[in-house]
């Protein structure tokens, strides 16, 4: 994407009512919607997150199918989620929002128990050892997710990366979390939940074209 196009999207994002772009300072000194997301949406519907949402395909698709829930896509790259935000506006969807922030700050964005479910769609596996701290299913991230999820809340991980799949499964078993579903090839498994096979993200479509199997884990994090 050219820099002109990016600038145009950044400008448009600033005018979108479904986009929130707080500074780091605003987030860590008392984020305005922490514990008050229901006032943002104007209702008490359950809140579902898509982390590292990119263009926000999952947030949009799930929001269209589940008008009884609110969906929030989170990514640091505003030019990407511009697509999802624009689609939501064009389709008059009032149950989707996008927040431009670092996932590391998630527990400043949401209060304890405020979130019902998390989707992590095709995260960068961060294979190098030095990058472990950026891997979105490492123990530190799980602690943060556990903090904001309610007691029944689950995490869904969809990835093309065997490494990410194996790493996450190993960690979940090692730390005693509850694996509700694990699947090595969602499009070949008759037990794949429909929300896993009905929507393909931008990255997923590329992996499918390369003939890569797509894996899925659904889990519940035990108290730390
Ligand atoms: C490989 S892309 C996947 C995008 C989308 N989920 C998809 O499947 O098409 C990973 C996305 O996660 C975002 N991301 C990675 N680490 C992040 C972090 N720590 N905080 C916020 N966004 C992050 C990147 O900006 C990128 O858009």
């Amino acid at each position: 994407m050219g820099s002109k196009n990016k600038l145009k999207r950044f400008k448009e994002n600033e005018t979108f009512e479904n986009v929130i772009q707080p500074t780091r300072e605003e987030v860590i000194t008392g984020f305005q919607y922490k514990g008050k997301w229901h006032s943002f949406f104007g209702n008490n519907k359950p809140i579902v997150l898509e982390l590292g949402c990119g263009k926000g395909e999952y947030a949009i698709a799930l929001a269209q199918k589940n008008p009884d829930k609110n969906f929030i896509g989170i990514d640091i790259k505003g030019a990407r989620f511009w697509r999802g935000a624009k689609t939501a506006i064009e389709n008059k969807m009032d149950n989707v929002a996008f927040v431009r922030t670092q996932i590391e700050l998630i527990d400043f964005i949401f209060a304890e128990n405020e979130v019902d479910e998390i989707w992590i769609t095709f995260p960068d596996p961060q294979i190098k050892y030095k990058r472990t701290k950026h891997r979105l299913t490492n123990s530190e991230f799980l602690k943060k997710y556990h903090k904001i999820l309610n007691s029944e809340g689950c995490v869904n991980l969809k990835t093309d990366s065997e490494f990410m799949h194996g790493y996450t499964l190993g960690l979940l078993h090692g730390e005693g979390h509850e694996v509700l579903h694990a699947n090595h090839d969602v499009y070949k498994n008759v037990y794949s939940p429909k929300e896993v096979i009905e929507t393909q993200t931008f990255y997923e479509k590329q992996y499918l074209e390369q003939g890569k199997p797509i894996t899925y884990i659904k889990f519940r994090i035990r108290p730390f």
Side-chain angles (χ1 to χ4, degrees), residues 51-69:
L51 302 183
C53 67
K55 299 182 183 210
E57 284 94 346
Y58 250 86
I60 292 290
L62 291 174
Q64 277 166 335
K65 287 175 194 153
N66 301 279
D68 54 330
K69 295 180 184 175

Side-chain angles (χ1 to χ4, degrees), residues 52-53 75-77 80 101-104 121-122 201-203:
C53 67
D75 205 293
I76 199 63
K77 295 196 174 159
R80 288 194 180 169
T101 196
Q102 284 183 306
I103 297 160
E104 284 79 354
T121 49
F122 300 88
T201 71
F202 178 73
Y203 274 79

